[in-house]
Amino acid sequence: MTTPGAKFAAISVKRKLLALFGCILAGFLLVFAIDHLETRLIERTLELERLAVSTKIAVLGMRRQEKNYFLRHDQESLTAVRRNQQTAIRDVETIRELDPSHAAPCDAALLLLREYLTSFEAMTDRPAPGGIDAPAARFLERSRDLEHLERVDPALASGLVRLRLLEKRWLVSGAGEPLQGLEAEADGLIAQARSDGPAGDAAAAALSRYRDALAVYAGRLEQVGSTTTAFVAAARALEPMTEALEKRYETRRRDIARQSTLIGWGIQGAVLVLVALAGWAVFRSVAMPLAAIGGHARRVARGEASDLNPADFSGEFHALAKDIGRMETHLLATILDLARKEREAANEARRAREACRRAEDLGRVKANFLSLVSHELKTPLTSMVGFAQVMRKRLERGPLPQAVAGRPELDAEMVRFRDNLDIMLGEGRRLAQMIDNVLELSSLEAGETPLAMGMVSAAEIVDRAVSPFTEVMTEKGLRYACAIPSDLPPLRCDRERLVYVLRHLFSNAVKFTESGHIACRVTREGKMAVISVEDSGPGIPPEKREAVFEKFLQLGDNLTGKMPGLGIGLAAARAVVEYHGGSIRITGEPGKGSTVSVTVPLAEAA
């Protein structure tokens, strides 16, 4: 039999999360509904409370106009009493309609309002013959007389203000407590005026007359009120009735707010408990499988055997465990393949290191051999070139030219000798230049070549470097241009070494350029001067621009089909430039020529 826990575990995580979201949403909707219901109940209660307050205001206005009528017996006050009574009745009827549960108190209030108006109208049928009672007229006159006392005795001003306020309060309410306060204030002002001596006698007399008129008028009101018991009873019951109405709805409003708050808190607490329980259940159903899968992943990372069984999981985690099992199988195959490739790569790297070491050894052997051979060949080669030069001069100015004069066959032989000697001198000088390059590169690599640094003009360096090639450029029909700024500071370099570098550049430019032009331009880049040698030859492919600076690498067979030298000229040139703290680079487009640029420090930057 399947247990509830097993049934819950079989539910997918997606459905569990949806159920959790549904609980949260239902809680929010329930709280919103309660809040909406509370708002409507409070609005209705506020409307009832407003009507109760309006009824209370109408009753107060009715009582105030009642006093005015007893004071003046005018028709306007009587009309105002009736108007306020109708307003109060209309408000109470509206309350009865909106709140049927309060129908009995409303009916009692309506009956009380009608009895009040009936008894009041019955009393108005017996007014005083003069229209206004004599006590009332006397009281009004004495009250107006007090208005002049503020100018006569300013010390009584604040007391007179309090007296008028108490008088209005008594006329509105008609109760005994305001009358007692009014009488006490009048007695206090009389005593204060008498304490001022003769100067206050007039004020004391006016206040005494006011006090007497007040006593007579109050007695008159009490006599009139006692004549109609129904009116007095109704008048006294009106204010408690309106107070009870207002208090009822004010209390109801507070009860609604308190109850809705308690219900809202209860629902929110219940929702929080349900969400916490559901969240804990979802957490356990997610966290425990994740912990198991995480532990398995860590064991796999440590290289331990796989023990993940998809049957131990349910829902999405069952599919996830199966995917992880397939991934482990694939990962194991990949690891084995990578291990095999790593072994192969290690073997290849070992063979490459051995080949590199052999190449370096061969390079050193080749360099040492060339250096040794160059040293051994330099002296005899110098002698051979020297003897060839001597023989060339003797063929031109010695006794042989005179001996063969007039003998055509000997003269032709002399021309062949001179041509052969010229070839010998050219090849000897070229071979001597190769030997010098080898010795220069060996010296630079060994660090045995100190630089004789000094300030040298760029124009002087360029002129010395290009001078051996002007005749060849003229013979090949190449145009030569040179651009050097007049304000360029002197260079800080080894004169002979820099001439050596530029001659290599000019030599290559002349060698590989069959037509067009050769140019030399000098510019400034910050604290360095840039000397560029430009030609219109075949150019150098971008992928080979770095390779041309390697030792013993020749590109002549690729560019022109010739083998012009040992391939160490540019390597030696780069070594010299880098010894100066500069750099050398090649730019251009294949088929449109190339530009070799050398940077050299300026003297002012040193």
Side-chain angles (χ1 to χ4, degrees), residues 10-207:
I11 300 174
S12 66
V13 176
K14 181 179 179 181
R15 291 186 178 181
K16 293 174 183 177
L17 292 176
L18 288 175
L20 178 61
F21 175 75
C23 291
I24 297 174
L25 182 61
F28 277 115
L29 290 177
L30 190 56
V31 171
F32 175 77
I34 292 175
D35 183 69
H36 179 68
L37 180 61
E38 174 197 2
T39 301
R40 293 192 60 183
L41 289 176
I42 288 181
E43 288 178 353
R44 182 178 178 183
T45 305
L46 285 174
E47 176 64 18
L48 292 171
E49 187 177 358
R50 184 191 65 78
L51 291 170
V53 172
S54 176
T55 303
K56 180 179 178 180
I57 293 173
V59 168
L60 291 175
M62 187 171 61
R63 296 300 310 279
R64 182 173 63 253
Q65 296 300 328
E66 166 202 324
K67 302 299 182 184
N68 290 336
Y69 178 80
F70 286 136
L71 184 64
R72 300 181 178 86
H73 286 281
D74 57 337
Q75 190 65 31
E76 182 179 355
S77 298
L78 180 60
T79 303
V81 170
R82 291 170 177 165
R83 184 173 59 252
N84 287 322
Q85 189 258 1
Q86 293 298 323
T87 300
I89 288 177
R90 185 169 57 252
D91 291 341
V92 173
E93 289 177 347
T94 305
I95 292 173
R96 188 180 187 282
E97 180 180 354
L98 294 177
D99 186 13
S101 64
H102 199 55
C106 290
D107 291 340
L110 291 173
L111 180 61
L112 190 62
L113 286 169
R114 291 188 180 96
E115 288 180 356
Y116 170 84
L117 183 62
T118 301
S119 59
F120 179 73
E121 288 178 346
M123 291 178 62
T124 58
D125 290 338
R126 302 190 300 273
I132 298 179
D133 290 342
R138 188 177 303 110
F139 175 72
L140 289 175
E141 181 180 358
R142 300 300 181 229
S143 179
R144 284 194 295 269
D145 291 342
L146 297 182
E147 296 177 359
H148 305 289
L149 291 182
E150 293 183 9
R151 293 189 295 272
V152 175
D153 192 350
L156 300 175
S158 59
L160 292 172
V161 171
R162 289 194 302 272
L163 185 69
R164 281 195 294 273
L165 291 175
L166 291 171
E167 177 184 310
K168 291 179 180 179
R169 187 178 302 170
W170 171 66
L171 290 175
V172 170
S173 64
E177 184 177 353
L179 176 61
Q180 294 174 3
L182 178 61
E183 292 174 345
E185 185 66 29
D187 293 339
L189 288 174
I190 292 171
Q192 181 180 353
R194 288 175 178 173
S195 65
D196 293 337
D201 290 343
L207 288 168

Side-chain angles (χ1 to χ4, degrees), residues 439-477:
L439 295 175
E440 181 73 16
L441 182 58
S442 300
S443 176
L444 289 170
E445 289 181 344
E448 299 173 352
T449 306
L451 298 178
M453 304 296 286
M455 291 190 297
V456 186
S457 169
E460 177 188 350
I461 295 290
V462 173
D463 290 342
R464 286 189 57 187
V466 78
S467 59
F469 307 100
T470 55
E471 184 177 352
V472 181
M473 286 190 288
T474 303
E475 291 175 357
K476 297 180 72 171

Side-chain angles (χ1 to χ4, degrees), residues 325-353:
R326 288 192 294 268
M327 183 181 66
E328 286 179 2
T329 304
H330 178 71
L331 182 60
L332 180 60
T334 304
I335 290 173
L336 294 176
D337 185 57
L338 287 176
R340 179 182 57 80
K341 291 182 178 179
E342 184 179 4
R343 289 192 298 271
E344 294 176 355
N347 294 331
E348 291 292 335
R350 186 180 65 256
R351 288 193 291 270
R353 287 194 298 271

Side-chain angles (χ1 to χ4, degrees), residues 257-275:
R258 183 172 59 255
Q259 292 173 3
S260 60
T261 301
L262 292 175
I263 294 173
W265 286 354
I267 293 175
Q268 292 177 12
V271 170
L272 287 176
V273 171
L274 290 176
V275 169

Side-chain angles (χ1 to χ4, degrees), residues 253-389:
R253 173 172 54 81
R254 292 176 180 174
D255 292 342
I256 292 173
R258 183 172 59 255
Q259 292 173 3
S260 60
T261 301
L262 292 175
I263 294 173
W265 286 354
I267 293 175
Q268 292 177 12
V271 170
L272 287 176
V273 171
L274 290 176
V275 169
L277 293 175
W280 173 248
V282 172
F283 172 76
R284 285 182 57 85
S285 63
V286 173
M288 293 179 66
L290 285 179
I293 293 175
H296 171 74
R298 288 189 290 272
R299 287 192 295 274
V300 170
R302 292 194 298 267
E304 300 177 4
S306 174
D307 60 350
L308 186 65
N309 185 9
D312 296 338
F313 302 93
S314 61
E316 291 90 340
F317 290 102
H318 178 74
L320 179 61
K322 294 177 64 177
D323 292 339
I324 290 176
R326 288 192 294 268
M327 183 181 66
E328 286 179 2
T329 304
H330 178 71
L331 182 60
L332 180 60
T334 304
I335 290 173
L336 294 176
D337 185 57
L338 287 176
R340 179 182 57 80
K341 291 182 178 179
E342 184 179 4
R343 289 192 298 271
E344 294 176 355
N347 294 331
E348 291 292 335
R350 186 180 65 256
R351 288 193 291 270
R353 287 194 298 271
E354 293 175 356
C356 182
R357 185 173 60 255
R358 287 195 299 270
E360 291 177 353
D361 294 340
L362 290 175
R364 284 193 298 270
V365 170
K366 186 177 181 180
N368 294 336
F369 173 75
L370 287 177
S371 178
L372 179 61
V373 170
S374 298
H375 277 290
E376 295 298 329
L377 292 179
K378 187 172 181 63
T379 300
L381 182 60
T382 302
S383 300
M384 291 172 60
V385 171
F387 282 122
Q389 289 176 343

